[in-house]
Amino acid sequence: MKAVETKGPTVRVLRVGEQVRHILSDILARGDAHDELLSKHPVSITEVRMSPDLRHATVFVKPLLGKNEDAVLKALRTNTAWLQKSVAEKMSMKYAAKLKFLSDESFDEASHIDKLLRDPKVVRDLESGEGE
């Protein structure tokens, strides 16, 4: 009998990641973090990717308008232990997930693609329907 291979994260992994995202978003939106920088700069938690064993969470963040991104990431990383503890207290899991904060580059990539598509040469090629 052949084992079934999963392609991508399971429903449980996705659900837990979304729950962690909501908890972190609430903590940061209410200003509960004991960091002046995090209290002053609105931060969006755009995605949380959980490892299959739910012990590690990669948290993608984007400060409002992309301002002070490096400083916000540094503040989040400095407060990681407190944030992990806060998330663990609000979840009923056997283990507290270790959080890793990364900048969400998807908005920058989307802007770059949009800029390329608006290039006059590309617009001209798309309108003519012919490729070179």
Side-chain angles (χ1 to χ4, degrees):
M1 188 169 189
K2 193 173 184 180
V4 178
E5 293 183 33
T6 58
K7 296 180 182 182
T10 64
V11 173
R12 181 172 186 239
V13 169
L14 293 171
R15 182 177 43 83
V16 171
E18 190 63 14
Q19 188 176 6
V20 171
R21 188 182 73 79
H22 279 281
I23 292 169
L24 285 170
S25 294
D26 287 344
I27 290 169
L28 295 173
R30 285 190 310 240
D32 290 348
H34 305 292
D35 189 289
E36 190 174 324
L37 183 70
L38 294 176
S39 298
K40 289 182 179 180
H41 289 84
V43 179
S44 293
I45 307 295
T46 57
E47 182 182 2
V48 175
R49 291 184 193 161
M50 301 297 297
S51 65
D53 64 0
L54 303 176
R55 291 188 183 210
H56 300 277
T58 304
V59 181
F60 293 92
V61 299
K62 191 72 172 174
L64 185 64
L65 303 175
K67 292 183 178 179
N68 299 324
E69 192 164 344
D70 292 335
V72 168
L73 273 172
K74 184 177 179 184
L76 287 167
R77 290 172 180 159
T78 301
N79 292 286
T80 298
W82 183 83
L83 289 167
Q84 284 175 185
K85 182 181 176 219
S86 298
V87 169
E89 288 172 352
K90 295 179 187 213
M91 295 184 68
S92 56
M93 300 282 295
K94 188 174 183 178
Y95 301 100
K98 296 203 180 291
L99 303 177
K100 178 181 177 183
F101 293 97
L102 296 177
S103 176
D104 188 349
E105 303 295 333
S106 62
F107 295 107
D108 298 332
E109 290 173 21
S111 295
H112 178 67
I113 291 170
D114 187 53
K115 183 179 176 184
L116 290 174
L117 289 173
R118 293 179 188 275
D119 184 277
K121 293 176 186 175
V122 174
V123 170
R124 182 191 69 223
D125 289 347
L126 290 174
E127 287 175 353
S128 70
E130 296 176 11
E132 289 184 30

